Amino acid sequence: MDVSKKTDYALRMLAALVRDPSGVVSVRAAARDNGVPYSFARSIQHDLVCAGMVESLRGARGGMRLSVDPEKITLLQVVEAIQRPVSLSPCATSGSDGGACPRALSCRFNPIWAGAQELLNSYLSSVTLADVVAGTAQPVVEERFVRPGGSGRTPSVLLGQASDLAATRADLAAAGANADDEPLPEGCSLAEAVDVA
């Protein structure tokens, strides 16, 4: 996932709205003061209005203002308003029906990518626009993502998904089948039969 230039510009413009005591800033001034091309600023304003974060005001003293308390706007919400849902991997949508990848049960990487996605979403949701503007942002890695007794670097959601995957593999092995319901070749362990990629 890359944070796009448009998202960076949107965050700058939103920060300007938080800092302005009147709460109303013209799109032109927000663009000029934050190094945002004006045509881009208009497009960003439109996206933020559609997301319900900003409202447009017409007239001589018009412009835009926040329509939501900045303490209730998370960085994840801003990123998704501009870039659409955050996605690290196509695992969740690469099936022919747009659902999960058909290899999810046999892929050893799927729980890693799914856990990383959940960790990123949780992390970005822990920071509000108000926190960033005030300089008090302290993103939080939820306790459920920290390995018990470990270095705090391994998300526990991965451990849980890995154990779920191991249980599924054990069930398949007991049934003598792999994730595609094909019998295992004679003399082949489940670990050898599971397609990793």
Side-chain angles (χ1 to χ4, degrees):
M1 176 215 143
D2 290 333
V3 174
S4 70
K5 196 70 169 168
K6 189 174 182 182
T7 298
D8 178 50
Y9 288 156
L11 289 166
R12 291 187 211 177
M13 291 171 60
L14 285 168
L17 292 175
V18 174
R19 286 190 302 265
D20 192 282
S22 74
V24 178
V25 177
S26 76
V27 177
R28 191 170 300 282
R32 180 192 65 235
D33 297 345
N34 292 286
V36 179
Y38 179 68
S39 59
F40 229 166
R42 298 291 296 172
S43 172
I44 291 166
Q45 177 195 22
H46 173 77
D47 290 346
L48 294 174
V49 167
C50 290
M53 293 179 194
V54 165
E55 62 181 318
S56 295
L57 305 170
R58 298 189 182 276
R61 296 184 187 269
M64 59 182 173
R65 72 174 167 208
L66 291 174
S67 55
V68 178
D69 181 343
E71 295 207 14
K72 299 202 183 314
I73 300 174
T74 67
L75 290 190
L76 180 65
Q77 290 170 321
V78 177
V79 170
E80 289 185 338
I82 303 300
Q83 293 184 211
R84 307 304 171 234
V86 173
S87 178
L88 292 176
S89 165
C91 289
T93 58
S94 62
S96 60
D97 61 351
C101 174
R103 302 172 77 154
L105 287 178
S106 63
C107 177
R108 294 181 185 181
F109 297 106
N110 181 275
I112 303 299
W113 304 140
Q117 179 72 57
E118 191 175 347
L119 178 61
L120 177 63
N121 288 352
S122 173
Y123 188 77
L124 292 177
S125 292
S126 75
V127 182
T128 69
L129 185 59
D131 293 335
V132 175
V133 173
T136 59
Q138 295 182 353
V140 175
V141 175
E142 292 179 30
E143 200 170 311
R144 67 190 174 110
F145 290 112
V146 179
R147 177 186 287 180
S151 65
R153 296 188 185 276
T154 303
S156 64
V157 69
L158 303 184
L159 301 175
Q161 289 178 346
S163 66
D164 292 346
L165 187 56
T168 301
R169 287 188 177 132
D171 292 343
L172 290 170
N178 66 19
D180 295 324
D181 252 348
E182 299 167 356
L184 295 174
E186 192 167 314
C188 180
S189 72
L190 182 63
E192 293 167 339
V194 171
D195 188 0
V196 175

